[in-house]
Amino acid sequence: MISTILSKNQQFDIILISGEYYDDHPLSPVGIIARVLDAKGYSVGIIEKPKTKEDFTRLGTPKLFFGVTPGTVDSMLYNYTPLKRSRMQDPHSFITEIPVRAVIFYCNKLREYFPGCQLVIGGVEASLRRFAHYDYWDNKIRKSILLDSRANILVYGNGEKQIIEIAKRVKEKKELKGIPGTCVLSKELPPGFSLLPAFQEIKGEDENSKISFCKMQTLFTLHKNLAQEYDNNYVLQYQSPQYTAMDLDWIYSLPYSRKLHPKSLLRMAKFSIVTHRGCIGRCNFCSITLHQSDKIISRSEGNILEEIKRLAQHPEFKGYVDDLGGPAANMYGMDCAVSCRRACLSCPKLDRSHARLIQLLRTARKIPRIKKIFVRSGVRYDLALESKEYLRELSDHHLSGCLKIAPEHFSKRVLQLMNKNYGDFDEFLKQFNVLNQDKKQSLRYYLMIGHPGDDEKETKFLVNKVKELQNVEQFQLFTPTPMTVSTCMYWTGLNPFTLKRVKVLHSFREKKKLRDMLLRVIRKPNPE
Ligand code: SF4
């Protein structure tokens, strides 16, 4: 049973505190966790965006624990623009109201109103702040959020398996140590853990501290037990559990009503379908590798097709699937049985044929009541170049006027530091234009300025390309978010893998210069 209301004489097993509105939807992290716990027989209460004591206490005390998550994005990104201006005052970029440092804020309130209650933290904010990290908004190194929030346990990644195990252990009054995919505090350092540089070693601004910070960055992985020392404590990370196609099939087969909150962020994605998790891109500015997975886990075709058939029976469904995809739409089916630690994008064993995806799209289009299936997730153009057939399928059947790709930049140096120097963009552009010349379909670009290594000289490459492309509408300014390689470069001025110096622009004046260079050539002004 899942509810946002407490009925008389009722006590929930678990209460979820969410920084986002609650949607009973497979694209909502809280929506999924609630359905998973419900499927395991727990009663789940949900409190959305609490502010006052009344908000926090209106569902009473849970029998087992509070689960706390700001949602899909770090609350600092919701609150501040890349130039650290408050979004509250910025109508162009206001997204949703959420407290600053939401995990810590919510936990402090729960500790105040429910002393002794078990607190479980999760979501992107907790996950990527699980170890010591550079915080752009404080411009300093912060401790693990596990210490700052005083939570009992931290779940990293999507967390379905973890939350089921935690609920079982709390119910059976067992300890919470040893659960794969979680972090806890420990006075002892158990055997089998790789030690990261201690907080004391990395928190400083001197050269040695920054070199230790780089070392920490190169040791980060989901696939190992890691430990970091703090004074007389250790933050212990238990390696991530393996998620399989069967796990995802079960998670996405749960009976989501797809009922959205009136102010939901998913309004444009009500009839979207997730086909896989993970990303093999390993872009240095992205954290999916250390949150979800650097390998692809694809659902089974049958399970996805069943979900589309269920969608077609939904009373509000008009025949249009809003999106069929994942972190990168065209990585579906690029699972690999070897699952080693190497980088798939440069591996000869990677299946780049797109065969499973093409077959899925063709079969799905034939399902009764399906008028059109859109692909609105971004596509990796370097991989799409490997399959003309896929690009034709996409262009002929699945675009809503545009295809989103993420070249990010056109300076070789910057692309290298982004680890995004793959594929021949001009060749892709040529192929796309040939396939779409009479279809009024165009490309939309994700572009980024201000990444470590970027400066006026490098941005000129981007400006010249944008002039050539003539339909660029927006770009983003690099924001250093916790736990990414690019953030390590931003803070240390070093490439963590080579310890070579990297030029980094820190001042707003320098960043605005790059922004203005691009604003002068793009089609429509972009506020920031
Ligand atoms: S063998 Fe290659 S494709 Fe497979 S997991 Fe390893 S790097 Fe990736």
Side-chain angles (χ1 to χ4, degrees):
M1 187 272 292
I2 305 168
S3 177
T4 56
I5 302 158
L6 182 68
S7 32
K8 210 157 172 292
N9 308 328
Q10 182 198 18
Q11 185 183 17
F12 288 107
D13 294 320
I14 294 153
I15 297 175
L16 301 178
I17 305 286
S18 171
E20 289 168 346
Y21 291 111
Y22 166 60
D23 298 317
D24 181 14
H25 194 285
L27 266 71
S28 157
V30 173
I32 291 183
I33 293 294
R35 278 279 166 209
V36 161
L37 289 167
D38 171 63
K40 294 294 177 185
Y42 298 99
S43 59
V44 183
I46 296 177
I47 300 177
E48 306 157 290
K49 299 174 156 300
K51 293 193 193 92
T52 63
K53 181 170 183 180
E54 286 62 47
D55 295 342
F56 280 96
T57 57
R58 70 181 176 77
L59 297 187
T61 307
K63 288 184 196 145
L64 303 178
F65 60 82
F66 281 101
V68 174
T69 175
T72 42
V73 175
D74 191 299
S75 60
M76 299 309 276
L77 291 171
Y78 270 141
N79 276 287
Y80 297 101
T81 68
L83 289 177
K84 300 189 189 179
R85 277 178 37 205
S86 166
R87 288 189 192 277
M88 295 301 182
Q89 283 93 36
D90 184 337
H92 291 291
S93 70
F94 175 70
I95 299 170
T96 186
E97 200 176 339
I98 188 169
V100 164
R101 303 195 187 288
V103 169
I104 297 170
F105 171 82
Y106 291 147
C107 287
N108 285 346
K109 290 295 178 192
L110 292 170
R111 281 270 171 257
E112 185 185 338
Y113 306 138
F114 301 94
C117 248
Q118 296 265 11
L119 301 185
V120 177
I121 55 176
V124 169
E125 183 170 316
S127 176
L128 298 170
R129 294 172 182 266
R130 61 185 181 269
F131 288 116
H133 53 280
Y134 169 68
D135 183 274
Y136 174 57
W137 300 273
D138 281 2
N139 190 30
K140 69 173 190 178
I141 305 298
R142 290 182 67 105
K143 290 179 177 175
S144 163
I145 200 166
L146 202 49
L147 286 130
D148 287 346
S149 66
R150 297 172 296 148
N152 299 84
I153 187 166
L154 177 154
V155 172
Y156 65 92
N158 292 73
E160 295 92 352
K161 285 188 173 190
Q162 292 92 312
I163 208 75
I164 292 170
E165 182 59 22
I166 291 170
K168 186 167 169 291
R169 296 222 188 161
V170 176
K171 191 173 180 187
E172 296 166 0
K173 303 198 176 354
K174 289 189 178 145
E175 65 165 11
L176 292 178
K177 284 187 176 164
I179 301 174
T182 69
C183 295
V184 294
L185 278 185
S186 168
K187 293 255 175 267
E188 287 88 42
L189 175 63
F193 279 77
S194 307
L195 263 180
L196 297 172
F199 179 67
Q200 291 305 330
E201 289 174 66
I202 57 133
K203 70 176 184 164
E205 297 189 23
D206 57 288
E207 190 67 3
N208 287 338
S209 298
K210 294 198 171 173
I211 290 172
S212 299
F213 191 94
C214 288
K215 182 175 174 216
M216 173 181 76
Q217 184 68 44
T218 61
L219 294 171
F220 280 153
T221 172
L222 294 171
H223 308 293
K224 265 191 188 163
N225 292 343
L226 298 175
Q228 185 165 55
E229 191 178 1
Y230 289 82
D231 306 338
N232 48 14
N233 258 313
Y234 292 92
V235 170
L236 301 180
Q237 167 191 290
Y238 297 97
Q239 75 174 78
S240 175
Q242 189 66 36
Y243 280 80
T244 63
M246 252 168 58
D247 296 322
L248 296 196
D249 285 357
W250 177 72
I251 291 164
Y252 289 103
S253 304
L254 295 170
Y256 304 96
S257 67
R258 289 181 184 257
K259 189 166 172 292
L260 300 181
H261 185 280
K263 291 185 184 166
S264 166
L265 298 173
L266 291 176
R267 291 190 300 284
M268 303 304 287
K270 181 164 180 138
F271 297 113
S272 290
I273 298 217
V274 173
T275 55
H276 61 281
R277 286 187 179 168
C279 182
I280 54 178
R282 294 191 181 197
C283 304
N284 283 341
F285 51 80
C286 176
S287 45
I288 198 169
T289 304
L290 291 167
H291 176 65
Q292 198 173 85
S293 178
D294 59 350
K295 302 297 174 202
I296 301 300
I297 311 140
S298 298
R299 293 171 63 188
S300 66
E301 282 79 355
N303 187 263
I304 296 169
L305 297 170
E306 278 311 308
E307 187 178 359
I308 296 174
K309 288 175 190 158
R310 282 199 304 279
L311 217 55
Q313 302 312 317
H314 190 285
E316 295 164 48
F317 185 67
K318 304 265 182 311
Y320 301 96
V321 175
D322 294 322
D323 186 26
L324 191 69
N330 59 329
M331 287 182 182
Y332 176 76
M334 293 186 181
D335 312 52
C336 174
V338 180
S339 197
C340 72
R341 297 280 73 74
R342 284 176 287 128
C344 299
L345 271 185
S346 41
C347 173
K349 287 201 178 82
L350 180 70
D351 174 1
R352 293 173 171 79
S353 67
H354 292 68
R356 275 183 72 184
L357 180 52
I358 293 167
Q359 191 49 50
L360 175 70
L361 292 170
R362 286 181 177 156
T363 317
R365 288 199 299 265
K366 296 192 190 103
I367 293 174
R369 302 194 66 208
I370 299 297
K371 291 182 187 149
K372 185 152 185 173
I373 296 173
F374 292 113
V375 171
R376 289 198 171 96
S377 301
V379 161
R380 276 285 305 209
Y381 76 80
D382 51 316
L383 284 171
L385 269 171
E386 307 272 350
S387 168
K388 270 216 175 84
E389 197 184 351
Y390 169 68
L391 206 45
R392 189 174 302 108
E393 287 287 318
L394 209 54
S395 305
D396 291 353
H397 303 285
H398 297 289
L399 298 185
S400 57
C402 73
L403 173 65
K404 293 176 188 152
I405 60 170
E408 309 292 355
H409 210 291
F410 289 93
S411 140
K412 284 202 173 55
R413 173 163 170 64
V414 175
L415 286 171
Q416 216 158 29
L417 289 166
M418 288 176 168
N419 190 32
K420 198 134 200 202
N421 47 337
Y422 293 90
D424 179 340
F425 174 83
D426 293 326
E427 176 55 28
F428 179 81
L429 192 59
K430 204 171 74 199
Q431 288 190 21
F432 181 85
N433 288 341
V434 169
L435 288 166
N436 290 279
Q437 57 204 347
D438 54 1
K439 292 194 180 73
K440 295 196 175 58
Q441 294 183 152
S442 60
L443 291 170
R444 286 287 173 279
Y445 308 99
Y446 292 110
L447 299 173
M448 183 191 288
I449 55 169
H451 184 275
D454 199 3
D455 60 14
E456 286 179 59
K457 182 168 137 291
E458 303 301 331
T459 290
K460 277 213 182 78
F461 292 102
L462 181 57
V463 166
N464 295 340
K465 195 70 185 179
V466 166
K467 279 184 195 157
E468 216 182 282
L469 294 172
Q470 291 183 350
N471 66 343
V472 175
E473 288 172 358
Q474 58 178 19
F475 61 92
Q476 62 168 320
L477 187 54
F478 168 70
T479 304
T481 50
M483 226 172 176
T484 73
V485 173
S486 305
T487 298
C488 176
M489 291 176 188
Y490 185 89
W491 168 245
T492 65
L494 300 166
N495 178 331
F497 302 107
T498 63
L499 293 184
K500 284 210 179 102
R501 291 235 159 269
V502 176
K503 182 178 179 184
V504 178
L505 304 183
H506 288 99
S507 77
F508 290 178
R509 189 182 51 75
E510 291 168 309
K511 293 176 185 180
K512 282 182 184 161
K513 246 194 202 149
L514 301 190
R515 183 195 65 186
D516 297 344
M517 284 171 70
L518 214 53
L519 278 178
R520 278 195 288 277
V521 291
I522 71 164
R523 199 165 67 174
K524 249 189 353 237
N526 176 314
E528 186 159 322

